[in-house]
Amino acid sequence: MVNLTRIYTKTGDDGTTSLGDMSRTSKNDPRLEAYATVDEANSAIGVALCADTLPAELRPLLIRIQNDLFDVGADLCTPVVDEPKIEPLRVLESQITYLEEQIDAYNGQLEPLRSFVLPSGTLAAANLHVARTVARRAERCTWAAIHAFGGGVNPLAAKYLNRLSDLLFVLARISNKEQGDELWVPGANR
């Protein structure tokens, strides 16, 4: 369990921060960028949870995802090493499978798309679209960390973020289900 007794430590005032294994690294480290962007995605989901237009059935799912995103962040901040002293928290394939099951279940409730969706609609849908784009950025940052550190970063974290962005897209569409999505009309304003 995490015990936060002090909010500021001043240890990062030199441009470094601690990773999950207590090693120090630059605040420009790609791993830090990845897990900080995961935190941003989590916060964007929190904003979507505040929308009165969010279907009540989505709340438990989004809160579960918020918890999982802390797992993703913990995974990304802890270097992958052989024989760790303490078993780190890692993203599991089962968490990805769960997202895939949710995508299939909710997408099955929607009409097939005939064009790209404009990120708009209800307040909940618009906020879920923002969360989706932040999750995509978190995925790209995670791939940058994977490329920079090779086997030192768990690729399942990137896979989880990829599926999460897909799920957030579907949930945005669910949030617009009653009014319908606004679709892109190619060349409409030429």
Side-chain angles (χ1 to χ4, degrees), residues 56-67:
E57 69 181 90
L58 301 185
R59 289 184 186 284
L61 171 59
L62 290 171
I63 290 169
R64 177 180 174 152
I65 289 167
Q66 284 190 302
N67 277 284

Side-chain angles (χ1 to χ4, degrees), residues 101-171:
E101 291 167 351
Q102 298 309 303
I103 292 166
D104 293 341
Y106 283 105
N107 198 46
Q109 299 175 29
L110 297 167
E111 294 295 320
L113 281 174
R114 304 281 181 240
S115 184
F116 289 102
V117 172
L118 299 180
S120 61
T122 66
L123 183 59
N127 283 319
L128 287 167
H129 279 297
V130 170
R132 169 185 60 79
T133 64
V134 177
R136 282 278 185 223
R137 182 161 33 91
E139 179 196 358
R140 291 190 305 273
C141 291
T142 300
W143 280 113
I146 290 167
H147 288 268
F149 292 94
V153 178
N154 180 8
L156 289 181
K159 188 174 178 182
Y160 179 93
L161 293 166
N162 184 291
R163 292 308 179 285
L164 174 59
S165 60
D166 293 337
L167 177 57
L168 292 170
F169 174 77
V170 169
L171 297 182

Side-chain angles (χ1 to χ4, degrees), residues 23-56:
S23 64
R24 302 290 295 175
T25 192
S26 166
K27 288 192 177 185
N28 295 319
D29 187 308
R31 295 168 294 187
L32 175 64
E33 185 66 30
Y35 68 78
T37 309
V38 167
D39 186 36
E40 186 180 347
N42 202 340
S43 295
I45 291 170
V47 173
L49 279 161
C50 294
D52 291 338
T53 56
L54 183 74

